[in-house]
Amino acid sequence: MTQDIVSSTIARHQGQEGPLLPILHELQHTLGYIPREALPQIAQALNLSRAEVHGVVSYYHHFRTEKPTAPVLQVCRAESCQAMGADRLWDHAQAHGGCQVEAVYCLGLCASSPAAMLGEEPLGRLTPEKLDEVLG
């Protein structure tokens, strides 16, 4: 199943200019991660070395190579969110459990600080109490 998804994703983007990032983004979106086993296949299809593909995957913190064990909550730790209480939110999210908490540095939601993303859902003006409601 995963192999089929990787193959079809590569085929869909292979003819584009600069297909590596679109392939990685689509795999991350579809599977929730980029399987390590897919890196050689991607490298071969794009005529890149494994090191080049690994370098791109490891450079961008957005990409993960392990399947998340719980829903992923990305808490913005950039200046605007920090000024509006992101540190308190970060501590609360880590203590809450039930989700995999990751730091990100700008979600583009500065006007709604502090912000986070739960999966693909943006959450603005988030407080620890609202986070409890969202996480259940």
Side-chain angles (χ1 to χ4, degrees):
M1 178 73 166
T2 300
Q3 178 68 34
D4 293 341
I5 292 171
V6 172
S7 296
S8 64
T9 300
I10 291 171
R12 210 172 5 268
H13 295 282
Q14 197 167 13
Q16 297 176 346
E17 188 172 331
L20 181 56
L21 283 176
I23 289 170
L24 297 176
H25 278 289
E26 186 171 329
L27 288 174
Q28 176 92 11
H29 179 77
T30 303
L31 300 171
Y33 72 111
I34 301 165
R36 289 183 196 277
E37 308 80 52
L39 301 186
Q41 183 181 355
I42 295 168
Q44 184 176 12
L46 301 182
N47 198 25
L48 298 170
S49 70
R50 291 181 188 182
E52 288 173 302
V53 176
H54 173 77
V56 172
V57 170
S58 61
Y59 177 79
Y60 294 102
H61 69 271
H62 170 72
F63 296 131
R64 65 181 76 84
T65 56
E66 301 293 330
K67 189 173 187 173
T69 55
V72 176
L73 178 71
Q74 296 178 314
V75 177
C76 182
R77 308 283 317 244
E79 290 80 4
S80 175
C81 286
Q82 281 187 26
M84 297 300 290
D87 289 342
R88 188 172 140 236
L89 187 62
W90 172 263
D91 292 341
H92 186 78
Q94 288 193 313
H96 185 281
C99 62
Q100 185 173 322
V101 184
E102 296 179 352
V104 293
Y105 296 91
C106 196
L107 292 168
L109 298 169
C110 299
S112 300
S113 295
M117 292 271 290
L118 183 60
E120 300 291 322
E121 181 183 357
L123 305 167
R125 294 188 178 87
L126 197 57
T127 63
E129 294 77 20
K130 287 181 182 177
L131 181 61
D132 286 343
E133 290 176 22
V134 171
L135 294 175

